[in-house]
Amino acid sequence: MARHLRPVADDGSDQLDAPLRDIVGKGGPVLEKTRGIRTVGQLLDWLPRSYLDASRPVAFRELPHGEDVVVVGTVVSARTLQMRNRSGRRLVADVSDDAGGVIQLTFFKPWGHEERLRPGAKVVCSGQIGHWRDTLQLTHPDYAVLSAAGSGSGQWLLDGLVPVYTATKGLSPIVHGDSLDLVLHQLQELPDPLPEEVRSSVGLPGLLEAYRLVHRPRTEADHRRGRWRLAFQEAFVVQAQLARARRSADAVPAVPRVAREDGLPHALRQRLPFALTDGQEEVLAEILGDLAREVPMHRLLQGEVGSGKTVLALLAMLAVVEAGGQAALLAPTEVLAAQHHRSMTMLLGPLAEAGMLGGAAEGTRLALLTGSQSTADRREALLDAASGAAGIVVGTHALIQDHVQFADLGMVVVDEQHRFGVEQRDALRAKARAGSSPHVLVMTATPIPRTVAMTVFGDMEISTLRELPQGRRPISSFVVQAERSGWVRRTWERVAEEVRGGGQAYVVCPRIGEVDDADLPGSAQEGPGLPIPPTDQARSAGEDGADLLEVAAAGAGSGIPSLHGVHQVARSLRELAATRDLRIEVLHGRMPAEDKDAVMQAYAAGRVDVLVSTTVIEVGVDVPDATTMVVLDADRFGISQLHQLRGRVGRGGRAGLCLLMTQGQDPEGVARLEQVAATTDGFELARLDLETRQEGDVLGATQSGGRRTLRFLRLARDEDLIVAAHEAAWRTVEADPELAGHPALAAELDRLDQARAAFLERG
Ligand code: ADP
Ligand code: MG
């Protein structure tokens, strides 16, 4: 059995990468097979789930029944018995503590244990304590026979707190612990990604010490300290990566863009039918300040839907145009690109008609560039962008393509958290004047908790619009349980009433479903029809056709309620007594882009009363008369997503209403809905959301490209730590950009790079 680490590099750096097999003997293959743990570092990074109390030895009779225990005692007798009712033998060993208490160890496969559990042997056992009649028992415990010399297997169980790891079938905790012991004893000082001065200023133990503290703590305080240090390192490394990315982005300067006092932005402000809020003024000043600098702007603007981000972006873009440059606005969908183009054209009025009859002399032009437009339209847009005739180019991803050229691209606005990968950022930079970077403004309607912002957007400045412009009425939200037929009926009546009162409604479904579901009655794939009250259902089935009933029955028969699809719901609404007279249309992602845009335009123009859709209408879509939203199977959506969805209603002067309907299977899901209904504070909801999600999901949702999960950090909990790590890391990189004095940190960052931590590298 090989029992030594491989020769150590000068800086000790390859110790963590050393294959475990070579070191821990028989434990190696087991760890690899059960946990995928192949290296020393992976073994150390698998932290205990909890710790057993150290106040041992406990008299056996005081042991808590049914709990995991670790006991030490001496075998007083062992016997193998033939089992009465079945074939086979059973080994029973009595182990006693010093106080005369006895625990019975039972093994139904005595083989191999008989030789070890001989009277007089001192053993340490871990397992779940049970009892049979008056006898305490451990059935098939994990155990080790302690050697007289005080070394060897299981010895680590005798001191301090006992670490407990997630139970893994096929992996004996004692074999695992012995492997760890071996590794912890043999490791030499590890190269530390945390610079010495950071460690001493924050009061952190070294890396090896930290591993010892979490795996072999003597006290609660020990493992807390060890964990804190490991989490701090994780946060620090992420922040150092962000700081370095930011430095390299800043290395290519931007062209400062300073608008004249009485220029285009001023002209637009004169035209606006409202005054900017104080919050908007503040943020606008921050943005204009950035634009005037040679350091490229790299700013995230967050604010709820309707908080007035877009109008600020437009003012900023006009400042760039005024200063002789061009600006591009990148939207995540065709619908949003078209809406931006329309609403900006409207806000600008004659200011967007430069060179046209009736256009303002000092104006500019807006171009729209999307993947689905006609060749002629695209050619014109491309020409306007390349010649500089269009000061502002709005578009989808099509904007980033190679053949799109600008005369002088000074600023890029990215709407709604549409994330860039490295390639896309480089592609954009290539569109700016040679040797320069465009200024970048990213807008998001998702309120981002501070810890997430620092971890994911840590390389950006952040501006926040906290209030909605005056005149906006809050949205009331209610949870509707689908089995309460009275409520369900009321819901659809409410939709009809809103429409009669001049409003419009969204009905959001979790899936598209099949256009011709109705032709496949009884198909197991089908979702239910509308949650429609039984009387109404019977009536409409009788009056309007039988399929409605059958569809609902198919859903009910499957046991698990299936999810509502857009097509079925639209069809049901067209047949339901309360809603059949309304103008109902569908919208979903599988429709051709022109159709989507046409439906959306018809809805925006008030020619459609009820839009049944998936979540395809991204946040930010603006239909002032939309007052009501019904979300079907609302428990299928995340907290933040629901909050964003309902932000689509109540955007005009009228109060908004959001009804969150659920088939109510999952109590946690319903509880989440109640939380969403209870508050309109997006930041509060974002925080709740964070607590209910895995770290990987949080990052996954906001990054494009490589996936990174956090091992030790908890974004919902570790705010102080992340702030401290952020400050320390940015100071470190500032003082030593090449990290010449911090080889271990540099090596760790390279490792991350190689692991394609692409999300850190967006623009
Ligand atoms: P966001 O992009 O944050 O969703 P918008 O900029 O689209 O918000 O603004 C939403 C609506 O409110 C638009 O119709 C916009 O013209 C209007 N608006 C923006 N700022 C104000 C303000 N200060 N007062 C009144 N209305 C405003
Ligand atoms: Mg918007």
Side-chain angles (χ1 to χ4, degrees):
M1 194 190 299
R3 291 227 153 204
H4 292 280
L5 292 172
R6 293 192 306 171
V8 171
D10 286 350
D11 62 353
S13 62
D14 60 359
Q15 292 184 95
L16 291 178
D17 293 330
L20 209 50
R21 270 173 186 278
D22 297 353
I23 302 155
V24 302
K26 69 170 176 173
V30 180
L31 282 159
E32 177 161 356
K33 219 174 91 206
T34 55
R35 280 261 140 191
I37 290 176
R38 279 182 291 274
T39 65
V40 167
Q42 289 172 330
L43 182 67
L44 292 170
D45 281 345
W46 178 23
L47 301 192
R49 183 169 52 84
S50 61
Y51 299 86
L52 292 181
D53 196 343
S55 52
R56 284 170 296 114
V58 180
F60 286 177
R61 62 189 134 78
E62 292 164 16
L63 289 171
H65 285 206
E67 287 188 20
D68 287 325
V69 295
V70 172
V71 296
V72 184
T74 308
V75 178
V76 289
S77 72
R79 54 208 178 276
T80 306
L81 309 169
Q82 186 65 41
M83 293 211 268
R84 231 177 294 156
N85 300 333
R86 23 181 183 144
S87 64
R89 295 174 311 139
R90 174 167 61 108
L91 172 70
V92 176
D94 288 338
V95 173
S96 101
D97 63 6
D98 295 339
V102 172
I103 285 187
Q104 216 167 59
L105 313 187
T106 308
F107 298 88
F108 290 100
K109 289 201 178 99
W111 191 81
H113 299 299
E114 286 164 310
E115 302 87 79
R116 303 173 66 197
L117 293 172
R118 294 188 187 281
K122 192 164 188 206
V123 291
V124 50
C125 321
S126 82
Q128 210 180 58
I129 194 92
H131 59 128
W132 190 72
R133 305 219 172 125
D134 283 339
T135 317
L136 292 175
Q137 284 196 321
L138 286 171
T139 305
H140 286 280
D142 198 29
Y143 72 95
V145 177
L146 300 171
S147 75
S151 65
S153 184
Q155 206 67 38
W156 53 275
L157 284 161
L158 300 178
D159 272 336
L161 298 185
V162 176
V164 180
Y165 302 81
T166 305
T168 304
K169 202 168 155 46
L171 178 61
S172 143
I174 292 185
V175 167
H176 173 216
D178 287 348
S179 301
L180 260 171
D181 238 28
L182 213 52
V183 163
L184 286 171
H185 279 111
Q186 295 208 12
L187 281 176
Q188 300 169 24
E189 203 45 59
L190 292 166
D192 200 332
L194 287 180
E196 170 60 36
E197 59 270 22
V198 171
R199 259 185 294 150
S200 59
S201 76
V202 190
L204 297 170
L207 183 53
L208 180 54
E209 173 68 7
Y211 282 130
R212 291 198 171 124
L213 287 170
V214 291
H215 292 292
R216 294 289 176 264
R218 308 201 65 83
T219 63
E220 289 278 320
D222 279 354
H223 70 77
R224 291 236 174 79
R225 195 164 123 80
R227 255 168 220 274
W228 212 83
R229 137 85 214 206
L230 292 175
F232 189 94
Q233 174 180 331
E234 188 164 48
F236 182 90
V237 167
V238 167
Q239 292 298 329
Q241 190 89 345
L242 288 165
R244 274 221 311 202
R246 178 59 190 265
R247 272 196 74 90
S248 74
D250 287 359
V252 182
V255 179
R257 312 279 178 173
V258 187
R260 278 187 304 136
E261 283 280 308
D262 59 347
L264 273 172
H266 177 75
L268 173 60
R269 295 187 63 153
Q270 299 286 299
R271 277 184 51 81
L272 288 178
F274 49 79
L276 296 185
T277 64
D278 291 350
Q280 283 174 312
E281 292 286 4
E282 231 168 82
V283 170
L284 182 62
E286 287 170 345
I287 296 172
L288 295 180
D290 287 351
L291 289 175
R293 297 173 56 202
E294 226 179 59
V295 178
M297 172 164 71
H298 208 55
R299 185 173 288 276
L300 177 72
L301 170 53
Q302 59 172 340
E304 303 249 356
V305 170
S307 59
K309 300 180 295 297
T310 307
V311 72
L312 294 187
L314 181 57
L315 285 165
M317 291 194 287
L318 283 182
V320 171
V321 172
E322 169 67 33
Q326 288 168 287
L329 189 155
L330 191 57
T333 63
E334 306 241 345
V335 171
L336 272 176
Q339 177 182 296
H340 276 308
H341 184 256
R342 260 195 319 274
S343 68
M344 288 183 168
T345 303
M346 223 166 62
L347 281 173
L348 288 169
L351 297 176
E353 293 166 9
M356 292 182 229
L357 207 58
E362 79 278 19
T364 184
R365 283 209 336 239
L366 243 62
L368 177 66
L369 193 73
T370 66
S372 67
Q373 67 197 152
S374 72
T375 318
D377 287 351
R378 178 156 53 240
R379 191 172 302 139
E380 192 184 331
L382 286 171
L383 219 58
D384 282 355
S387 70
I392 296 175
V393 183
V394 179
T396 55
H397 231 88
L399 270 178
I400 304 181
Q401 287 162 3
D402 275 351
H403 59 274
V404 182
Q405 288 174 359
F406 291 84
D408 182 8
L409 181 63
M411 176 188 192
V412 177
V413 179
V414 183
D415 189 21
E416 302 299 358
Q417 210 169 355
H418 168 102
R419 308 303 310 273
F420 285 127
V422 188
E423 300 81 18
Q424 287 155 333
R425 187 173 65 187
D426 290 349
L428 269 175
R429 192 176 291 147
K431 296 184 191 307
R433 252 196 252 159
S436 76
S437 291
H439 295 284
V440 176
L441 179 69
V442 178
M443 302 196 291
T444 174
T446 316
I448 303 167
R450 185 158 182 237
T451 53
V452 178
M454 287 188 115
T455 306
V456 182
F457 301 94
D459 54 344
M460 297 190 186
E461 275 76 46
I462 297 183
S463 297
T464 304
L465 289 173
R466 294 205 171 267
E467 358 151 38
L468 300 183
Q470 279 169 358
R472 184 121 327 132
R473 303 256 235 106
I475 301 162
S476 334
S477 305
F478 301 95
V479 179
V480 179
Q481 303 250 17
E483 74 260 29
R484 310 280 287 263
S485 54
W487 295 6
V488 171
R489 189 194 346 258
R490 195 60 208 119
T491 297
W492 302 118
E493 285 168 6
R494 221 27 201 110
V495 167
E497 284 163 18
E498 283 292 328
V499 171
R500 259 178 265 127
Q504 290 167 278
Y506 289 104
V507 176
V508 180
C509 305
R511 59 183 205 109
I512 299 171
E514 298 302 322
V515 181
D516 50 359
D517 269 357
D519 302 333
L520 305 163
S523 151
Q525 263 64 266
E526 281 178 36
L530 276 186
I532 292 170
T535 51
D536 222 337
Q537 206 169 55
R539 198 184 325 134
S540 56
E543 286 171 22
D544 311 310
D547 56 333
L548 210 60
L549 246 189
E550 284 180 69
V551 170
S558 66
I560 322 154
S562 31
L563 301 179
H564 289 95
V566 167
H567 290 295
Q568 289 162 297
V569 168
R571 202 173 47 243
S572 298
L573 283 175
R574 286 182 185 125
E575 296 175 356
L576 190 66
T579 50
R580 68 164 71 124
D581 296 331
L582 308 183
R583 294 168 297 178
I584 297 166
E585 286 295 337
V586 301
L587 183 73
H588 59 75
R590 260 188 254 144
M591 287 161 56
E594 314 87 269
D595 294 1
K596 274 192 286 188
D597 207 34
V599 169
M600 206 52 221
Q601 286 201 43
Y603 187 67
R607 296 194 305 272
V608 172
D609 300 319
V610 180
L611 188 63
V612 184
S613 75
T614 55
T615 56
V616 63
I617 337 154
E618 302 283 334
V619 286
V621 169
D622 203 357
V623 180
D625 284 338
T627 52
T628 309
M629 172 173 287
V630 180
V631 184
L632 294 173
D633 299 311
D635 50 326
R636 288 312 174 108
F637 300 90
I639 289 178
S640 293
Q641 199 180 9
L642 287 171
H643 181 61
Q644 285 186 6
L645 279 171
R646 71 180 166 185
R648 294 176 197 162
V649 297
R651 296 186 59 129
R654 281 190 272 185
L657 174 68
C658 177
L659 300 168
L660 304 167
M661 204 178 288
T662 166
Q663 301 180 65
Q665 297 305 93
D666 162 26
E668 270 178 44
V670 175
R672 264 203 327 267
L673 296 184
E674 295 290 355
Q675 290 175 323
V676 174
T679 177
T680 52
D681 181 342
F683 278 92
E684 170 65 12
L685 289 170
R687 207 182 48 70
L688 283 172
D689 207 13
L690 189 56
E691 281 171 9
T692 59
R693 284 159 69 191
Q694 293 292 316
E695 258 56 31
D697 295 346
V698 174
L699 301 184
T702 44
Q703 80 205 38
S704 72
R707 209 179 160 74
R708 180 188 163 79
T709 49
L710 297 172
R711 287 171 305 177
F712 308 123
L713 271 179
R714 293 291 166 268
L715 295 175
R717 182 193 68 194
D718 293 328
E719 176 157 352
D720 292 351
L721 184 153
I722 291 170
V723 171
H726 170 88
E727 282 164 11
W730 285 71
R731 245 191 338 244
T732 301
V733 172
E734 190 94 336
D736 180 4
E738 301 305 318
L739 299 178
H742 308 290
L745 176 58
E748 183 65 23
L749 295 185
D750 287 348
R751 240 149 88 128
L752 269 187
D753 279 347
Q754 283 162 14
R756 289 185 46 85
F759 89 94
L760 295 169
E761 294 269 22
R762 350 124 314 245

